[in-house]
Amino acid sequence: MQLWQEMEREGMEELIFCHDADSGLRAVIAIHSTALGPALGGCRYWTYASEEEAVRDAVKLAKGMTYKNAISGLPYGGGKVVIWDVPFAKNVKQDQGSHGSQSVERVASEQKVAADQVTHPQDKSLDTDVSRRAQRFRALGRCLERLNGRYVTGLDLGTTAIDMDQIRMETAYVTDTTGSLGAQDDFTAEMTAYGVYIGIVTSLRQQGIASLQSIPVAVQGLGKVGYALCRYLHAAGARLIVADVVPERVQRALVQFSGAISADPAHIHAADCKVFAPCALGGVLTPATVEELRCSIVAGAANNQLSERQLVAGRMQARGILYAPDYVLNAGGIISTAYELEGAGPDLIRQNVAGIAGTLSKVYAEAAQSAISTADAADRLAESIL
Ligand code: NAI
């Protein structure tokens, strides 16, 4: 991998590689920009097939945070830390390129033992993996402390509030520790969902529709964000079409939201609806699926929804489909973190998340005025702030 070329291409400020022999920590701290303030973005603990994949992920995520924080009007730059989750007892095998995704079961089990560790500190049956995991986060905390606040970390995929507590033992530059609003998963997801809901309302207004009453909205993914979004939409009178790969989640939604119907998760993007809200995985809008859309608005929480950004955004524009750029719409979580850092409580945070309406309107105005896609308009606005 040509690191400096990659950094130049993505406009990265700094990449810091951290290693701790005792715990086996391998982390890369990616600081994309501190132009607007300290870099803010979460800590991902994930398995990667190679060093290159881990570094690329860190760079891509850090850059995304710069744009998201900038366009959301936050006084923070963008950064991310990626810990390469090399299994404790199998470092060699993993190094040799065993592919594969994070073992959800293993993380869940580690988290459970870690939680037990907090409630029963005397428990002699502690898994050594857990204490080594804790050591990794403490070692990372020492690395962050050396950066003197240029980067502030928090929760992301594969990390828990207990991990953040370990970092906090070494540095103050961490959010989402136990007891914080951000450590309550539901609060961050709730704020993300609220922001998406506000964005859907704004997008409908853009198309001259003043109310969600009887408007069909297809929600892909009924996890933390998707489910909370359904709650907002249902309360506003929308007709829900829902899909998830976990049938129980669909059943729960059908029972809770009267009038909701289910769709095949693989084809919900093609549902006959006004709004399609991707709230599961990234990359759902491809050159093929974009041709199958029957909605007039795409507005959801998933990160990196467009598999080929220029191409797919261009096709939506050409087809008259209004695309609410993902990082504008799903900023509720980071807005919440940023305001909590300033000491704000839930009400003030919610008020600031509602500001996504104004940001999105600016994006739509810029796109219309310059005859560019809404994705390009969002980038242009973020870059002008930077
Ligand atoms: P989650 O993991 O709680 O929920 C994801 C849901 O999608 C699960 O119910 C899963 O079963 C379902 N799913 C997976 N593959 C699917 C498929 N092919 N079709 C239909 N459903 C499928 O995740 P969460 O927190 O709700 O996040 C959803 C999306 O929003 C993710 O892309 C995430 O990166 C993004 N996001 C979340 C934020 C948050 O505050 N949680 C903040 C910003 C972005």
Side-chain angles (χ1 to χ4, degrees), residues 66-207:
T66 296
Y67 279 65
K68 190 187 290 203
N69 292 342
I71 206 158
S72 303
L74 301 175
Y76 291 98
K80 209 86 177 184
V81 53
V82 157
I83 301 180
W84 187 3
D85 179 12
V86 183
F88 299 105
K90 294 175 193 151
N91 292 12
V92 177
K93 187 173 170 225
Q94 186 70 21
D95 283 354
Q96 286 168 347
S98 71
H99 285 244
S101 58
Q102 178 91 321
S103 158
V104 174
E105 293 74 17
R106 183 167 64 78
V107 171
S109 134
E110 281 180 16
Q111 287 172 357
K112 186 180 175 309
V113 182
D116 290 347
Q117 185 180 10
V118 170
T119 38
H120 308 291
Q122 313 303 341
D123 190 345
K124 294 274 187 296
S125 66
L126 277 184
D127 191 318
T128 54
D129 280 6
V130 173
S131 57
R132 285 189 69 191
R133 180 178 172 114
Q135 280 170 30
R136 282 185 184 176
F137 283 94
R138 287 197 64 163
L140 177 65
R142 291 190 289 276
C143 299
L144 297 181
E145 178 64 14
R146 288 196 289 273
L147 295 176
N148 276 322
R150 292 190 65 237
Y151 166 65
V152 181
T153 199
L155 285 175
D156 198 86
L157 283 180
T159 50
T160 68
I162 290 163
D163 299 328
M164 298 305 114
D165 294 346
Q166 297 299 329
I167 295 176
R168 184 68 183 82
M169 290 172 86
E170 303 288 349
T171 183
Y173 303 120
V174 58
T175 63
D176 304 333
T177 50
T178 301
S180 66
L181 277 175
Q184 300 160 26
D185 254 5
D186 289 348
F187 184 76
T188 309
E190 181 75 26
M191 288 303 100
T192 303
Y194 181 57
V196 174
Y197 166 72
I198 293 287
I200 289 176
V201 170
T202 308
S203 304
L204 285 168
R205 290 211 178 115
Q206 184 73 16
Q207 294 191 338

Side-chain angles (χ1 to χ4, degrees), residues 44 68 156-157 185-193 196 219-228 242-247 249-250 252 263-268 278-282 284 300-305 326-327 329-334:
R44 184 164 288 197
K68 190 187 290 203
D156 198 86
L157 283 180
D185 254 5
D186 289 348
F187 184 76
T188 309
E190 181 75 26
M191 288 303 100
T192 303
V196 174
V219 180
Q220 181 185 43
L222 299 170
K224 294 186 291 293
V225 177
Y227 203 83
V242 296
D244 198 291
V245 288
V246 178
R249 293 190 183 156
V250 176
R252 187 164 68 119
D264 177 351
H267 296 107
I268 188 168
C279 296
L281 310 170
V284 289
N303 278 313
N304 303 318
Q305 290 166 26
D326 44 18
Y327 68 80
L329 212 65
N330 68 19
I334 198 71

Side-chain angles (χ1 to χ4, degrees), residues 189-205 210-213 215 217 219 225-238 240 275 277 279 297 299-301 324 328-332 350 353-354 356-357 360 364:
E190 181 75 26
M191 288 303 100
T192 303
Y194 181 57
V196 174
Y197 166 72
I198 293 287
I200 289 176
V201 170
T202 308
S203 304
L204 285 168
R205 290 211 178 115
S211 156
L212 263 160
Q213 194 63 46
I215 298 290
V217 182
V219 180
V225 177
Y227 203 83
L229 174 63
C230 285
R231 196 163 19 78
Y232 285 109
L233 294 169
H234 183 254
L240 291 174
V275 183
C279 296
I297 293 167
V328 178
L329 212 65
N330 68 19
R350 185 176 282 268
V353 173
I356 286 176
L360 195 57
Y364 290 157

Side-chain angles (χ1 to χ4, degrees), residues 313-330:
R315 273 307 290 157
M316 280 196 276
Q317 188 188 4
R319 291 196 54 209
I321 297 169
L322 187 62
Y323 169 61
D326 44 18
Y327 68 80
V328 178
L329 212 65
N330 68 19

